Amino acid sequence: MSPAPRSASARLALAVTASFLLAFVLLGVGVHYAVSALLDGDAREVVRADAAGLVELYREGGRAALADELRERGAQDDTDAVYALFDAQGRTLAGHYEDALPRGGRSPHWIAFAQHQGDERLRVVAQLLHLPGGETLLTGVRLRSQDRFLALMLRTALAALLVAATLGAAIGWLTSRWVSRRLRHLDDTAARVGEGELALRVPLDGSDDAFDRLARRFNGMLDRIEDLLGGVRHATDHIAHDLRTPLTRLRNRLEELRERPSGQSRDAELDAAIAETDQLLQSFGALLRLARIEAQAPAIQAPRLDLAALARDAADLYTPSAAERGIVLLTELAPGWVQGDADQLFQLLVNLLDNALKYAPADSAVQLRVHGESTGVLLQVDDRGPGIPEAERERMFDRFQRMEAHRGSPGTGLGLSLVRAIVQRHGGRISLGDNGPGLRVRVVLPAA
Amino acid sequence: MRVLLIEDDLHTAGFIAKGLREDGHAVDQADNGKDGLFLATTEPYDALVLDRMLPGLDGLTLLQTLRGAGNRTPVLLLTALGEVDHRVEGLRAGADDYLVKPFAYAELSARLDSIARRGSAGGSEPTRLRVADLELDLLSREARRSGKRIELQPREFRLLEYLMRQAERVVTRTMLLEAVWDYHFDPQTNVIDVHISRLRQKIDQGYPKPLLHTVRGAGYRLGA
C-alpha cells in the first residue's frame, strides 16, 4: 500500500470535517443572534405594556398611588420585574433601583444594565419614562429566563459540535481507509502483474463506481497487453517456421556443394544458394520494417501529401512490368490529400500493385484508383485474378500467410501484413472485397 | 582507394575488409570509436565506412566531430536502424550515404564507389554527359548515340542520367530506385529490371557494342 492515496484521502476527510465545522459555527452564530433578538423584542414588549399600566395608575391616583403600587410590587420576591421612581432632582422615591438615575435622554428611553443577585449576574433591560409631574419612571425586566435559554442553547450546540467533530473525523478516517482498501486491490494486482503474473485481473465488485470503472479499464489494458504478447508469440512461431524452411534448404544445398567437384554445375548451385540467402535477407528486412512500423507512433504529425501523386509514381514504376505480361494498368487519379510518410505510403502502393500484377491473368486490366473526399481518401486496386474466398480474406493479413495455391511463387508472404501495418499507422482502414471476378482492395485513409 | 573501416563486429568487419581488399582498396580498420576518430583525423582517406553504434564513441558523434573539424572525407554510415528518421538524422550529421544491415557486399561496394567519386568530382555541374558514343544533353534533355537521337520518356532520361553520372561503376537496383524514384522502399520484385531492359533496347539495340551491362548478383553498370 502506498502512502500517497492514503494521505490524499485523509487530507480530503480532514478538509470535509473542517468545512463542516465552519458551516456549523456560522449557523450557530446566526441562530444565536436571531433568537436573542427575538427574546429581546418580547421582553421590551412586556416592559412597554407594564409601563403603560403604571402611567395609567399615575394619571388616576397621582404620584403617591404610583409609589405605593411600586413599593407593593417591589415587596414580591418571585418577580423579575424592576421598578423605580425618581423625582425631578433624581432622588429615588420608590423601587429597587439604587444607582443614580442615568441623565438626559429622550422619553421614552431604553437602557440596559446588570444586577448582581448572589453569584448570578442578571441582565436588565429597562425603559425610562418622564411623567408629567417631573418624575421619572423606570420599568424594567430581568432577562433571567432568556439568558438561561440562550445558555442552554449554547451548551447544546457545543455538545452537538463535539459529536459532529468526532463523527466527522471517524467518517473521514473510515473513508480514507475504504479508499486505500479499494486501491489496494489495484495496487497489488499491478505489482504482481509487473512481476510477470500476466493472467491476473483486479476483482470487480459490480458497483460501477469510479473504482470499479478504473479496475475494469485496468483489466482491459491487461487484456490488450496479453493479446499483443500472444500476437508476438504467434508471429514468432510463424517466423521460426517460415524461415526455417528456406534456411534448411540453403544448408542442404551448401552441404551438397561440399561433396561436389568444382565446375559449371557447382557455380549454378552457388548462385542458387546466394539467391536463397538474398530471399532470406529480404524476409528479415520486411519483418524488421513491419515490426518498426507497428511500433511507430501514429502519423499525426506527418506532412501533408497527395496520394494521387504517389500513385502516379507507383503506376509509372509498374507500367513496364505490367506491359511485359500484356496487362494494362489503368489509373483514375483525383487529388487525395493525406498526412503521412511518403516512403511508407509508396511501399503500400508498391505492395498492392505487385500483388495485383502477380495474380492478374495475362492480357487483363489492373485498375488503380485514388479519390479524395472531405471524409477520407479512397485508394482502390482491382484485378481480374482468382480473388480470395471470403472466408480467407481476414487471414491474408497475418504474417507469412499466403494462399495455398501460391506457396510456390516468389514473395515473402509479408506484403499484405506490411500494407495493413502502414494503413493502421496512418489511421486508415483496409478491406478485401470481390471484384467479380478478382480481388478488390479498398484502403480508406483520413483526409488531411 | 584508401578506406577506413570503423566497425566493432569482428565478423562484419572481416567480411567488409576482405571484400574491399579484393576490390583493390587499401583498408585500415578500427573496432571502436576513439581509435576510429584518431585514424580518421590523422591519416588521409578517400572514404570512411562507419558503423553507427560503436563502443567508446558513438558513430554519429564521431561523424559530427569529424565534420565539425572540417574533414570532408566521404562517409558511408552502416546501421541496423532503418527508419526514415534515423536515416535523416544520419545524413544530417554529415553522412554521404546510409546503408541498413543486413546488406549484400555488392550494395556496400557500389554505394562506396558512388560517394567516393562524388567526393572527388567537385567543380561545376556538367551540362553534357558522355560515355563512349552515348551523349546526354542535360539542358536540352536530349540523348544521342553516334549522333542519332534517342527518344526517351522523362523517367528513362533520369535513369540514364543517373547511370551515366555513375559511369563504369556498379549501381544496385536499390540505388536506382532511390535515385530515380526518390522513395526509400523495398521492391517486392525486380521491377526495375524491366525499366532497364526498355532503356537498353533504346540505347543498345542496333549498335555493335552494348553499353548497359548487367552485373550478376549486384546490379548494372554503364560503360564501354
Side-chain angles (χ1 to χ4, degrees):
Chain A
M1 197 176 359
S2 62
R6 187 175 202 177
S7 78
S9 53
R11 271 203 306 276
L12 184 70
L14 216 66
V16 168
T17 312
S19 32
F20 185 68
L21 289 182
L22 183 69
F24 193 90
V25 166
L26 283 175
L27 186 72
V29 168
V31 167
H32 185 272
Y33 182 78
V35 167
S36 50
L38 193 72
L39 292 175
D40 195 53
D42 281 355
R44 285 177 191 225
E45 199 50 51
V46 168
V47 168
R48 211 175 279 127
D50 206 8
L54 293 172
V55 168
E56 193 65 25
L57 189 70
Y58 174 81
R59 283 215 184 99
E60 284 169 10
R63 176 197 282 197
L66 179 59
D68 284 346
E69 173 70 16
L70 292 184
R71 267 189 287 276
E72 195 180 316
R73 288 196 189 180
Q76 295 167 5
D77 269 345
D78 59 338
T79 177
D80 273 335
V82 176
Y83 303 106
L85 188 63
F86 311 96
D87 65 10
Q89 282 71 44
R91 284 180 306 239
T92 308
L93 300 175
H96 296 264
Y97 190 64
E98 292 84 18
D99 297 331
L101 173 69
R103 292 278 154 205
R106 293 162 290 107
S107 171
H109 174 68
W110 289 96
I111 57 169
F113 53 91
Q115 276 188 338
H116 291 274
Q117 206 170 67
D119 288 345
E120 220 175 345
R121 180 181 176 274
L122 294 172
R123 281 197 305 130
V124 177
V125 57
Q127 190 188 38
L128 289 175
L129 204 60
H130 300 304
L131 298 176
E135 303 89 346
T136 302
L137 173 65
L138 181 147
T139 318
V141 65
R142 298 190 185 96
L143 299 172
R144 192 202 304 266
S145 58
Q146 283 94 328
D147 279 355
R148 280 187 190 154
F149 179 73
L150 283 175
L152 178 69
M153 216 174 77
L154 191 66
R155 273 199 307 277
T156 316
L158 282 175
L161 189 67
L162 193 70
V163 171
T166 316
L167 211 64
I171 288 173
W173 181 69
L174 285 174
T175 309
S176 84
R177 257 183 52 123
W178 179 73
V179 168
S180 52
R181 191 169 49 81
R182 292 294 303 265
L183 285 178
R184 194 169 55 219
H185 284 308
L186 211 62
D187 197 47
D188 285 352
T189 313
R192 286 173 64 189
V193 168
E195 282 160 14
E197 289 182 69
L198 259 186
L200 221 58
R201 294 292 177 273
V202 184
L204 300 176
D205 56 12
S207 62
D208 202 38
D209 63 1
F211 292 101
D212 210 38
R213 282 202 302 276
L214 177 64
R216 205 159 344 110
R217 272 186 195 280
F218 187 79
N219 286 348
M221 186 181 80
L222 288 177
D223 287 344
R224 173 91 180 120
I225 291 175
E226 228 188 355
D227 271 3
L228 285 175
L229 276 182
V232 168
R233 200 170 301 130
H234 182 75
T236 320
D237 291 349
H238 263 297
I239 291 165
H241 178 263
D242 275 72
L243 292 183
R244 191 149 62 185
T245 315
L247 273 171
T248 310
R249 209 161 43 215
L250 178 62
R251 191 183 188 288
N252 292 346
R253 257 190 230 280
L254 293 173
E255 214 164 37
E256 244 176 81
L257 273 173
R258 196 172 52 186
E259 311 297 322
R260 201 176 289 186
S262 55
Q264 275 281 312
S265 68
R266 187 164 162 162
D267 285 355
E269 276 295 306
L270 271 174
D271 282 349
I274 288 171
E276 192 101 58
T277 318
D278 286 346
Q279 178 74 31
L280 271 166
L281 282 177
Q282 203 186 1
S283 286
F284 271 115
L287 270 175
L288 283 173
R289 193 166 301 115
L290 183 57
R292 281 190 197 114
I293 291 172
E294 281 179 345
Q296 267 175 345
I300 21 178
Q301 302 255 306
R304 270 179 100 235
L305 44 92
D306 183 7
L307 197 61
L310 292 181
R312 202 166 294 124
D313 285 348
D316 187 34
L317 179 63
Y318 272 91
T319 301
S321 331
E324 279 231 315
R325 295 191 45 225
I327 297 170
V328 191
L329 188 54
L330 297 172
T331 54
E332 199 182 303
L333 308 172
W337 290 89
V338 296
Q339 263 189 317
D341 180 319
D343 290 337
Q344 285 181 12
L345 291 174
F346 194 74
Q347 180 84 61
L348 178 152
L349 281 157
V350 161
N351 285 16
L352 290 181
L353 281 179
D354 208 90
N355 260 353
L357 291 176
K358 201 189 300 178
Y359 298 125
D363 303 318
S364 67
V366 166
Q367 187 146 34
L368 172 64
R369 225 175 258 145
V370 171
H371 185 67
E373 275 176 27
S374 57
T375 46
V377 176
L378 171 74
L379 163 69
Q380 187 172 312
V381 181
D382 296 338
D383 68 53
R384 291 285 177 195
I388 299 173
E390 200 171 345
E392 288 197 49
R393 283 179 196 152
E394 204 42 46
R395 223 157 46 77
M396 297 314 293
F397 293 113
D398 291 345
R399 287 170 170 78
F400 292 119
Q401 196 64 56
R402 308 179 66 188
M403 298 269 293
E404 274 316 314
H406 302 295
R407 281 254 165 216
S409 56
T412 55
L414 291 167
L416 273 180
S417 310
L418 200 59
V419 165
R420 185 173 65 170
I422 293 169
V423 169
Q424 285 176 346
R425 184 182 172 237
H426 288 79
R429 293 186 315 278
I430 180 167
S431 60
L432 303 182
D434 197 351
N435 192 31
L439 183 66
R440 164 169 294 179
V441 185
R442 280 170 64 95
V443 172
V444 180
L445 296 174
Chain B
M1 201 158 68
R2 191 168 177 204
V3 180
L4 173 62
L5 170 64
I6 310 172
E7 161 69 75
D8 61 320
D9 181 67
L10 282 181
H11 192 83
T12 312
F15 164 74
I16 297 173
K18 181 168 169 284
L20 288 173
R21 289 196 181 104
E22 278 169 7
D23 280 357
H25 304 306
V27 184
D28 285 350
Q29 278 177 259
D31 62 0
N32 66 72
K34 277 186 187 140
D35 294 353
L37 183 61
F38 178 74
L39 281 173
T41 45
T42 50
E43 302 280 326
Y45 290 104
D46 298 304
L48 253 64
V49 179
L50 175 63
D51 188 33
R52 194 183 156 127
M53 282 193 263
L54 287 170
L57 184 67
D58 155 66
L60 220 51
T61 317
L62 191 157
L63 181 56
Q64 279 160 344
T65 314
L66 210 57
R67 292 294 186 243
N71 188 318
R72 313 269 10 128
T73 313
V75 170
L76 174 62
L77 202 61
L78 304 182
T79 176
L81 308 167
E83 279 169 62
V84 176
D85 292 352
H86 288 288
R87 193 172 56 227
V88 170
E89 204 180 16
L91 296 181
R92 199 169 289 155
D96 296 84
D97 203 355
Y98 195 95
L99 191 54
V100 181
K101 293 177 184 176
F103 51 81
Y105 174 74
E107 188 79 37
L108 179 135
S109 165
R111 285 179 187 263
L112 194 62
D113 275 354
S114 165
I115 61 164
R117 166 134 98 181
R118 212 184 299 158
S120 65
S124 60
E125 272 289 292
T127 57
R128 194 177 285 270
L129 298 170
R130 172 186 281 275
V131 174
D133 55 350
L134 180 62
E135 248 186 297
L136 205 60
D137 189 326
L138 298 179
L139 295 179
S140 63
R141 314 293 289 174
E142 269 182 5
R144 287 176 190 277
R145 186 159 182 194
S146 301
K148 211 176 126 206
R149 193 169 165 187
I150 304 168
E151 291 298 328
L152 293 176
Q153 303 282 328
R155 195 72 71 171
E156 290 168 338
F157 188 90
R158 280 182 72 177
L159 195 57
L160 184 59
E161 179 188 339
Y162 183 74
L163 283 164
M164 288 183 81
R165 283 184 190 276
Q166 304 288 336
E168 300 302 340
R169 238 155 273 267
V170 176
V171 293
T172 66
R173 294 176 171 85
T174 329
M175 286 163 78
L176 283 174
L177 284 172
E178 282 175 13
V180 179
W181 268 268
D182 215 11
Y183 295 104
H184 288 264
F185 69 105
D186 178 25
Q188 301 291 296
T189 45
N190 284 336
V191 66
I192 195 77
D193 294 354
V194 189
H195 286 268
I196 292 287
S197 76
R198 292 201 152 193
L199 182 64
R200 180 178 281 144
Q201 268 183 7
K202 290 193 177 177
I203 64 169
D204 278 348
Q205 203 157 48
Y207 296 94
K209 209 163 171 295
L211 292 178
L212 187 47
H213 311 279
T214 303
V215 182
R216 228 159 40 115
Y220 300 96
R221 181 174 58 83
L222 187 78

